[in-house]
């Protein structure tokens, strides 16, 4: 526990570490802690109270796989040198739901980081049979609740991968995620499709936990299938969009169609949606967000969208939806190598500076992380921050964010 003003030499934190040791079948060993009573057998909590401690367990008949920090029992970052085989084992067999999810995320992150490195080196990207087998096991496990399956089968986001990267390489991150998602989609297509079709049944809409969970899993399966985007899958997605009896399914299908390579279907569905919902402000904002977030829409498309009758820069929600959607949730196009996305954001910030300084300062968020990016994009973003900083009529809100970003 680090010192604070007026308080030095603090005692170490007391960390409740919920854990278990698993055998080869995934069952928990009935264990005891040698010479100490700080392990509670009933709750599985080990109490860590010193800077460094060693715990010796008895009653272990084979080499175990540790299941650590179960249920996120303490707000800490846990470092343990799991092998990928151990992570796959925990994802498939750990009785603790949180740790099954966490193991899957760690395994997928390891695979993605390897793919990112391959992309940066110019090597061919390699598949991951181990991750595929783990996903297959989860998909086939009927004992796992649908809502948990969704979490376990969702790949780490580009934003998360950027956050944990020492240096952010946007193009490599995108290529790695697209490669892995397509690989998993193709290898497990039959399972994704069967799960989707089993859940895609006509029934009255209900806002109850089971139905919500099943809709989430159904739409996750569809998102993997759309990574293949053959005619069959595209047909399922379009049909769900047109016939859905609830906005969750309709919007999920439209989101996938907005990323589709089929330009005609993409525009037809986006146009049809706004024609149907143009009198509902919330739906208009959702539609604008899709326009900004679509990887098919570059900065020039977004500029054109600003001229739409459905957008006005004087409405903060619409600014957040379209401009924020593009700059914060469309990384490939916002971080275009020519810097056009950065120039676009600078122009909007200077425009908003005179209209709504608070929104202008929030739109600066993508620029505030400029130091983490690879040299070329780092220099381009820094140049835009310096351009904004040099303006004489900056509001206090904008100036503080820019100045802190450049000088901290």
């Amino acid at each position: 526990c680090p010192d604070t003003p007026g308080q030095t030499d603090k005692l170490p934190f007391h960390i409740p570490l919920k854990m278990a040791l698993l055998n080869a079948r995934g069952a928990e060993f009935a264990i005891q802690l040698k010479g100490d009573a700080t392990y509670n057998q009933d709750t599985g909590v080990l109490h860590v109270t010193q800077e460094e401690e060693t715990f010796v367990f008895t009653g272990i008949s084979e080499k175990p796989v540790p299941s650590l920090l179960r249920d996120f029992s303490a707000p800490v970052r846990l470092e343990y040198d799991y092998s990928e085989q151990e992570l796959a084992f925990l994802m498939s067999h750990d009785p603790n739901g949180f740790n099954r999810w966490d193991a899957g995320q760690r395994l997928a992150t390891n695979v993605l980081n390897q793919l990112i490195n391959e992309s940066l080196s110019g090597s061919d990207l390699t598949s991951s049979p181990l991750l595929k087998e783990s996903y297959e096991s989860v998909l086939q496990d009927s004992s796992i609740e649908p809502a948990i399956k969704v979490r376990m089968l969702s790949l780490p986001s580009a934003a998360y991968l950027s956050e944990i990267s020492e240096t952010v390489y946007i193009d490599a991150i995108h290529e790695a995620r697209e490669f892995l998602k397509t690989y998993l989609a193709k290898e497990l297509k039959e399972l994704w499709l069967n799960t989707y079709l089993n859940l895609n049944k006509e029934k009255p809409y209900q806002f109850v936990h089971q139905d919500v969970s099943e809709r989430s899993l159904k739409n996750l399966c569809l998102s993997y299938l759309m990574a293949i985007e053959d005619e069959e899958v595209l047909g399922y997605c379009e049909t769900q969009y047109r016939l859905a009896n609830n906005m969750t399914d309709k919007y999920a299908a439209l989101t996938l169609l907005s990323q589709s390579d089929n330009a005609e279907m993409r525009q037809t569905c986006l146009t049809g949606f706004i024609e149907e919902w143009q009198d509902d402000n919330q739906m208009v904002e959702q539609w604008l967000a899709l326009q900004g977030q679509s990887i098919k829409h570059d900065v020039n498309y977004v500029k054109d969208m600003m001229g739409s009758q459905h957008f006005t820069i004087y409405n903060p929600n619409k600014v957040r939806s379209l401009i924020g959607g593009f700059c914060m949730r469309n990384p490939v196009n916002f971080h275009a190598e020519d810097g056009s996305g950065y120039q676009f954001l600078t122009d909007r910030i200077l425009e908003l500076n005179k209209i709504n300084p608070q929104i202008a300062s929030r739109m600066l968020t993508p620029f505030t992380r400029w130091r983490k990016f690879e040299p070329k994009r780092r220099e381009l973003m820094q140049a835009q921050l310096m351009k904004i900083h040099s303006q004489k009529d900056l509001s206090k809100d904008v100036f503080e964010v820019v100045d802190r970003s450049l000088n901290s």
Side-chain angles (χ1 to χ4, degrees), residues 342 346 366-371 373-390 402 405-407:
Y342 304 153
T346 294
F367 282 160
T368 61
R369 304 186 181 101
W370 65 277
R371 296 178 191 273
F373 284 78
E374 43 82 14
K376 182 176 181 179
R377 288 180 170 90
R378 183 165 64 235
E379 291 173 7
L380 289 170
M381 280 190 274
Q382 183 184 25
Q384 294 302 323
L385 281 168
M386 293 175 68
K387 178 180 178 180
I388 297 170
H389 193 266
S390 69
V402 174
S405 298
L406 285 171
N407 299 310

Side-chain angles (χ1 to χ4, degrees), residues 329-342:
R329 289 178 290 280
N330 191 346
V332 172
N333 287 312
F334 172 65
H335 293 285
E337 272 193 305
D338 62 2
S340 55
Y342 304 153

Side-chain angles (χ1 to χ4, degrees), residues 142-150 198-199 203-218 248-249:
S142 59
S143 68
I144 304 176
E145 186 182 341
I148 302 298
K149 278 191 179 182
V150 171
N198 288 335
L199 294 171
K203 60 180 180 179
Y205 173 78
Q206 296 183 85
F207 188 67
V208 295
H209 174 73
Q210 185 64 26
D211 285 8
V212 170
S213 299
E214 290 179 355
R215 281 192 289 271
S216 295
L217 181 55
K218 175 182 68 175
T248 299
D249 283 347

Side-chain angles (χ1 to χ4, degrees), residues 178 226-230 234 256-267 294-296:
E178 289 300 300
M226 281 292 283
I228 306 171
E229 202 179 315
D230 57 24
L234 199 57
L256 295 171
L257 290 167
S258 73
Q259 307 282 353
S260 170
D261 290 331
N262 190 316
E264 182 179 356
M265 184 178 293
R266 183 173 72 241
Q267 289 303 323
S294 174
I295 195 171
K296 305 302 178 184

Side-chain angles (χ1 to χ4, degrees), residues 6 15 52 77 84 93 111-112 152 192 202 218 220 235 246 275 285 289 297 300 308 343 361 364 401 403-404:
I15 299 173
E52 292 187 13
R77 291 186 180 181
E84 291 195 349
H93 300 291
V111 171
L112 285 165
M152 294 178 70
W192 295 119
E202 288 187 25
K218 175 182 68 175
L220 178 74
N246 63 86
E275 288 176 351
E285 290 159 14
H297 298 165
N300 291 322
S308 164
Q343 180 64 58
S361 65
L364 275 161
V401 175
D403 191 64
R404 185 167 61 248

